[in-house]
Amino acid sequence: MKTLSILGATGSIGTQALTIVDNFPDDIKIVSLSAHANSEKLFELVRKYRPKAAALTQGEVETPEDLSFCSWYFGKDALSQMTKEIPSDDVLVSVVGMSALEAVLAAIETNKRILLANKETLVAGGNIIMPLCQVFGEKANLIPVDSEHSAIHQCLLGKNGNAFKKLVLTASGGPFRTYTKERMASVSVKDALKHPTWSMGSKITIDSATMFNKALEIIEAAYLFSAKGEQIEVVIHPQSIVHSMVEYDDNSVLAQLGVPDMKTPIMYAMFYPKRRMSISESLNLANVGTLTFEKPDFNKFKALKLAYYALKAKGAAPCVLNAANEVAVYAFLRGAISFMSIFDTVEHVLNMDLPKVGTVPEILNADLWARAQAEQYIHQNS
């Protein structure tokens, strides 16, 4: 039986992962769980799965007496401490934000396999993380969970020593795919949270609407698969059936297809390199009927342009892009800025004199610096 730790157990990815665990009770044992602030939900999960440990990153709370069998971790260092101290085979990292970076490093240090559903870790710290990781083969210690990177991972298994020419990331286009730039200027939070295909948390849903999710995925793919910016292409694919593609030197293109259901890439990562009987719906192409593709509008979705700029600039730029975007998204969600101001905020901070990075503390400092600059810009322009 494989042992699994889930960081972010009450979120969308964590909840779906637990559904998979419920369907394979003889194969996976939960040994630790975490949540950010939803203590009551975490208490329920601890009662059900009886892990050795649990963590709440927002801070300490009083735990019920019937959960005394479980070791508890609290605060900003809870994820890395629990990951380092509690033995497990795999760690599913499905928390949002930079808190995952040190937890991922702790997993690497203690020889755990990482199932990565957190973009920020590689966007901000890919140059530190990736030299420590093997992504392919039975000894792989990092398996991507994002549907696009999972798709590329699967397509690259067929390379047989051949170099790829291009990685093609597909994007749904979000709720504003057909909007003009002028119409996007007046969209509401409610509008932006209506994703046409996927059901996700609010931060990721807004990132899909701005296409900053794809911007982060461009940078993540560059680190994961040792690709240059010019080798990564984005195409809009509203049906979300083709999850991504790989083109080889002979112009052959391999694609991974499936229904838009995150349980498939989560399962793929959990059981890699084996495949198990899916608990998701089977793809019926006849029912889908038509698959369409189109070029993204870089003027309307400036996030993509900023991603390629950050990749080329290197250094702190990817980390700064991520941090400034996160601040801007939450400002938009609370009504402090307009939708299009998200792009303006990130571009402003990226164009500043960025701090130097080379170590984890420097990356974390650059993240804090970018957040402060973004907050200041938003305050001055609100």
Side-chain angles (χ1 to χ4, degrees), residues 72-238:
W72 287 88
Y73 295 78
F74 300 100
K76 65 182 183 66
D77 297 323
L79 298 184
S80 57
Q81 289 176 351
M82 185 173 73
T83 300
K84 193 173 291 184
E85 295 174 10
I86 303 301
S88 69
D89 296 313
D90 293 351
V91 180
L92 173 60
V93 183
S94 58
V95 295
V96 175
M98 288 293 290
S99 61
L101 178 58
E102 291 183 285
V104 167
L105 286 169
I108 294 170
E109 290 170 11
T110 50
N111 297 314
K112 297 176 176 69
R113 190 172 69 161
I114 302 145
L115 316 181
L116 189 63
N118 168 282
K119 293 179 173 63
E120 294 87 348
T121 296
L122 288 187
V123 170
N127 58 336
I128 291 175
I129 296 291
M130 290 313 299
L132 305 173
C133 292
Q134 182 174 330
V135 177
F136 295 99
E138 291 196 18
K139 293 184 179 180
N141 65 341
L142 191 153
I143 310 296
V145 171
D146 273 352
S147 61
E148 296 83 358
H149 300 103
S150 175
I152 290 173
H153 189 275
Q154 294 177 63
C155 293
L156 286 174
L157 290 177
K159 66 180 182 178
N160 291 326
N162 294 290
F164 63 83
K165 184 165 71 175
K166 186 164 58 178
L167 307 179
V168 183
L169 294 169
T170 57
S172 70
F176 308 136
R177 178 176 64 87
T178 61
Y179 281 35
T180 63
K181 189 175 180 179
E182 291 71 27
R183 187 181 176 191
M184 282 171 62
S186 60
V187 299
S188 68
V189 172
K190 185 178 179 181
D191 295 331
L193 288 173
K194 291 179 181 177
H195 195 280
T197 308
W198 296 95
S199 175
M200 306 172 288
S202 60
K203 162 62 166 64
I204 299 174
T205 304
I206 300 301
D207 279 348
S208 179
T210 60
M211 291 196 72
F212 262 110
N213 71 323
K214 212 53 52 177
L216 297 176
E217 287 168 13
I218 289 168
I219 298 169
E220 190 178 3
Y223 283 123
L224 265 174
F225 307 116
S226 300
K228 298 176 183 177
E230 56 267 27
Q231 291 179 293
I232 304 172
E233 180 183 339
V234 174
V235 296
I236 305 296
H237 171 52

Side-chain angles (χ1 to χ4, degrees), residues 240-307:
S240 299
I241 296 298
V242 177
H243 297 302
S244 276
M245 298 171 270
V246 174
E247 182 179 345
Y248 291 93
D249 284 338
D250 63 354
N251 294 337
S252 293
V253 178
L254 301 189
Q256 190 266 333
L257 286 69
V259 296
D261 184 338
M262 281 303 299
K263 289 190 286 293
T264 298
I266 296 169
M267 273 191 67
Y268 174 77
M270 278 185 173
F271 292 107
Y272 177 83
K274 296 181 179 179
R275 293 183 185 267
R276 302 296 297 272
M277 186 67 71
S278 177
I279 62 173
S280 301
E281 179 185 348
S282 181
L283 175 63
N284 187 320
L285 284 173
N287 286 346
V288 174
T290 302
L291 301 178
T292 61
F293 304 89
E294 57 195 70
K295 289 183 177 181
D297 185 337
F298 276 54
N299 287 322
K300 191 168 66 173
F301 295 107
K302 194 182 287 187
L304 301 176
K305 189 183 297 184
L306 294 175

Side-chain angles (χ1 to χ4, degrees), residues 281-359:
E281 179 185 348
S282 181
L283 175 63
N284 187 320
L285 284 173
N287 286 346
V288 174
T290 302
L291 301 178
T292 61
F293 304 89
E294 57 195 70
K295 289 183 177 181
D297 185 337
F298 276 54
N299 287 322
K300 191 168 66 173
F301 295 107
K302 194 182 287 187
L304 301 176
K305 189 183 297 184
L306 294 175
Y308 287 110
Y309 170 82
L311 260 184
K312 189 173 182 179
K314 299 180 181 179
C319 173
V320 167
L321 177 144
N322 171 72
N325 173 63
E326 190 169 320
V327 169
V329 167
Y330 287 116
F332 171 69
L333 283 169
R334 67 175 185 267
I337 63 173
S338 69
F339 183 79
M340 299 303 283
S341 292
I342 296 174
F343 303 115
D344 297 336
T345 302
V346 177
E347 185 171 28
H348 170 79
V349 181
L350 266 180
N351 284 332
M352 298 179 72
D353 187 14
L354 306 186
K356 305 293 183 185
V357 296
T359 65

